[in-house]
Amino acid sequence: MRYELLDYQKYQERINELINNEGNIFRVIKQEPLVYTRCDFPVEHYTIGDGPNHLVVMGGTHGNELISVDFVTQLMSSIARGEGKFASFNPEEFTTHFIPLQNPEGFVINTTAIKKVIPDGTSDEEIEKICHDYWWNFKQDDIHTRENPSDRSIKMHQMMFASVTPDDLSDDNYELKESVKKLWDTYHYPPGSMINWTANGSGVDLNANTPDNPKNEAMYAQTGVITYGGARYNNLPNNIPSPIGCPRKDANHFEFEPENLALFNMLSGLHESESFVGLITYHGTGGVVYHRPYKFINNENYERNKKINEEVANCYGEACGYATGGRTYLDEPSITGCGDLMRSYLPVTLLVELSVMGGNPIAPYGDRGTYAKTITSNKEAFAKTLAFISERKEEISKNYITGSR
Ligand SMILES: [Zn+2]
């Protein structure tokens, strides 16, 4: 177990360490990056195993969901070392693909804010205390906003990071710094909101970046009305480029962000060749496994995805004590995201909200016992899910959309 607040450099060090670990039983291979972001960060891609059944595991879609990157890198290390149940991992059966950090730009923005307030050298006790305060403040913000929904003043959790501005970004990341500074100067986000930076460096939220999101029609340039996030995010705009929730860069037309497009291309290639057996994307907080598709691509496909996703989600959820289900477009169109879009096309596509301690990025680190349990129980759940997939892989990999087998 590694209790450590990652930043971009520590993330890279951790990856290098786990690739070169002499205790590895299974080799971790560094593949070509999926894509380079607009500000030239690689979206890194690693594999373990080279079997015909391809499972994709991803973290860091949201820049502020630190624990998802933390978890995916620890999972990679555990599989590589054959720890516990992973001793029986079969590299001739599976190719496991890891994309530990889909949104490096958002991650750099967010972790720069964390590092300013919690500098290197801070003791674990002190880290835990600050993170626990943040968790508490976050809860108070929820309560206060519920009672005062029109109060858009600075939130208590933002107050802790009010001193952070885009000027704190390193000059080494010049393009990113300029991009965020420009957004900050144009749109005047509340002080402290670098800690809410979920989006990429263009201010687009990769999960909100789907053509089905009704916020596409509510973009400010078309309506002249600013809309805001829910609950404690109600002072953050979401229909202009923003730290959170904005579906697209250009107000006038929809496009997928490069980080998403590269992922979709990879997934559809695997699915077309009937070698795709699953996608598990990790997010930050909630303790929920989302599994419901919403779109009828064709009936056979929809019914298969709905059924198998529910079964596999129950397998995962039972193993770590998480609720399964999760809301989709079908319940409330405005909460739709790339998660439920992908679940409509692909079987065994789960979105796991990791920590039960709400408040990205640092609340999940507010109690070391809870943190350890989150990491351990999700590794356990992943191992059980892998066994489930192994039993059902024929059925899962069948492609009903183009159907060749
Ligand atoms: Zn998320």
Side-chain angles (χ1 to χ4, degrees):
M1 193 68 48
R2 288 281 289 273
Y3 181 77
E4 175 187 44
L5 294 179
L6 289 174
D7 57 28
Y8 195 58
Q9 191 191 336
K10 290 189 188 125
Y11 155 78
Q12 289 173 315
E13 286 164 6
R14 187 184 284 189
I15 295 269
N16 285 334
E17 200 180 295
L18 78 88
I19 288 182
N20 298 312
N21 190 329
E22 286 178 10
N24 286 352
I25 300 173
F26 308 113
R27 217 150 81 85
V28 184
I29 313 265
K30 183 170 186 168
Q31 304 288 345
E32 284 299 308
L34 226 51
V35 70
Y36 285 85
T37 66
R38 284 199 190 92
C39 299
D40 217 25
F41 288 87
V43 177
E44 295 185 331
H45 173 203
Y46 301 87
T47 52
I48 303 178
D50 57 4
N53 303 289
H54 293 253
L55 172 69
V56 183
V57 182
M58 187 169 84
T61 298
H62 282 143
N64 62 342
E65 296 181 358
L66 191 56
I67 193 167
S68 70
V69 182
D70 187 359
F71 174 73
V72 172
T73 48
Q74 295 201 49
L75 177 67
M76 287 167 73
S77 171
S78 293
I79 297 173
R81 286 182 289 110
E83 180 190 271
K85 287 200 174 70
F86 297 123
S88 60
F89 174 76
N90 182 356
E92 286 168 9
E93 180 183 17
F94 286 110
T95 301
T96 46
H97 297 263
F98 295 91
I99 303 159
L101 180 50
Q102 193 201 6
N103 175 11
E105 295 176 355
F107 184 83
V108 167
I109 296 166
N110 199 266
T111 53
T112 298
I114 297 172
K115 204 167 174 170
K116 186 171 184 190
V117 173
I118 311 176
D120 283 349
T122 308
S123 70
D124 285 358
E125 289 70 26
E126 187 61 19
I127 291 173
E128 189 178 28
K129 192 190 165 301
I130 297 169
C131 296
H132 197 272
D133 287 349
Y134 184 87
W135 170 76
W136 175 257
N137 287 339
F138 210 85
K139 279 210 311 188
Q140 307 317 306
D141 289 336
D142 266 346
I143 295 165
H144 177 82
T145 315
R146 226 173 282 136
E147 289 165 359
N148 307 277
S150 58
D151 180 3
R152 303 198 196 284
S153 58
I154 183 170
K155 307 295 170 192
M156 286 166 70
H157 76 274
Q158 290 166 340
M159 206 82 90
M160 293 174 73
F161 292 87
S163 73
V164 187
T165 72
D167 284 319
D168 291 306
L169 290 164
S170 165
D171 291 328
D172 295 345
N173 302 317
Y174 178 78
E175 282 176 62
L176 179 65
K177 186 171 184 169
E178 287 305 302
S179 177
V180 178
K181 272 169 79 169
K182 195 169 162 210
L183 294 172
W184 199 265
D185 292 342
T186 309
Y187 298 116
H188 312 290
Y189 312 126
S193 57
M194 287 228 337
I195 203 64
N196 302 119
W197 209 283
T198 302
N200 64 13
S202 305
V204 180
D205 183 319
L206 295 184
N207 194 50
N209 178 226
T210 147
D212 299 313
N213 192 332
K215 272 185 240 133
N216 284 306
E217 276 76 59
M219 290 293 282
Y220 175 74
Q222 301 167 61
T223 62
V225 178
I226 299 232
T227 60
Y228 291 89
R232 67 288 197 192
Y233 298 132
N234 84 340
N235 60 3
L236 297 168
N238 62 16
N239 65 342
I240 47 177
S242 160
I244 190 166
C246 179
R248 65 193 196 191
K249 188 170 179 287
D250 186 330
N252 297 312
H253 79 282
F254 180 85
E255 63 179 326
F256 281 116
E257 291 296 284
E259 299 88 335
N260 278 336
L261 201 55
L263 174 75
F264 297 156
N265 285 338
M266 174 194 183
L267 295 173
S268 61
L270 293 173
H271 191 220
E272 261 162 44
S273 63
E274 303 204 315
S275 57
F276 175 85
V277 293
L279 166 70
I280 305 186
T281 64
Y282 286 96
H283 284 247
T285 63
V288 182
V289 185
Y290 288 84
H291 65 73
R292 293 167 58 209
Y294 73 92
K295 216 177 187 176
F296 297 89
I297 310 302
N298 66 33
N299 278 341
E300 212 180 352
N301 193 62
Y302 178 84
E303 290 305 328
R304 182 269 305 262
N305 290 1
K306 186 165 172 272
K307 183 168 164 289
I308 193 91
N309 280 4
E310 186 174 348
E311 287 173 18
V312 76
N314 287 342
C315 167
Y316 194 105
E318 272 163 29
C320 60
Y322 286 3
T324 59
R327 300 168 76 212
T328 74
Y329 185 89
L330 296 169
D331 308 296
E332 168 53 56
S334 71
I335 58 161
T336 195
C338 282
D340 57 11
L341 174 67
M342 291 187 282
R343 286 192 287 282
S344 299
Y345 286 89
L346 301 165
V348 183
T349 298
L350 304 183
L351 189 157
V352 180
E353 291 281 9
L354 281 166
S355 177
V356 295
M357 286 182 82
N360 287 309
I362 59 171
Y365 298 84
D367 178 88
R368 276 180 280 177
T370 306
Y371 168 79
K373 190 168 166 249
T374 302
I375 301 292
T376 311
S377 64
N378 278 279
K379 279 183 193 167
E380 186 72 22
F382 183 90
K384 287 201 174 139
T385 303
L386 198 59
F388 177 97
I389 292 171
S390 175
E391 275 171 33
R392 308 280 289 274
K393 61 196 179 211
E394 292 294 319
E395 175 193 351
I396 296 167
S397 59
K398 193 168 160 54
N399 182 342
Y400 290 108
I401 301 174
T402 57
S404 60
R405 193 151 69 192

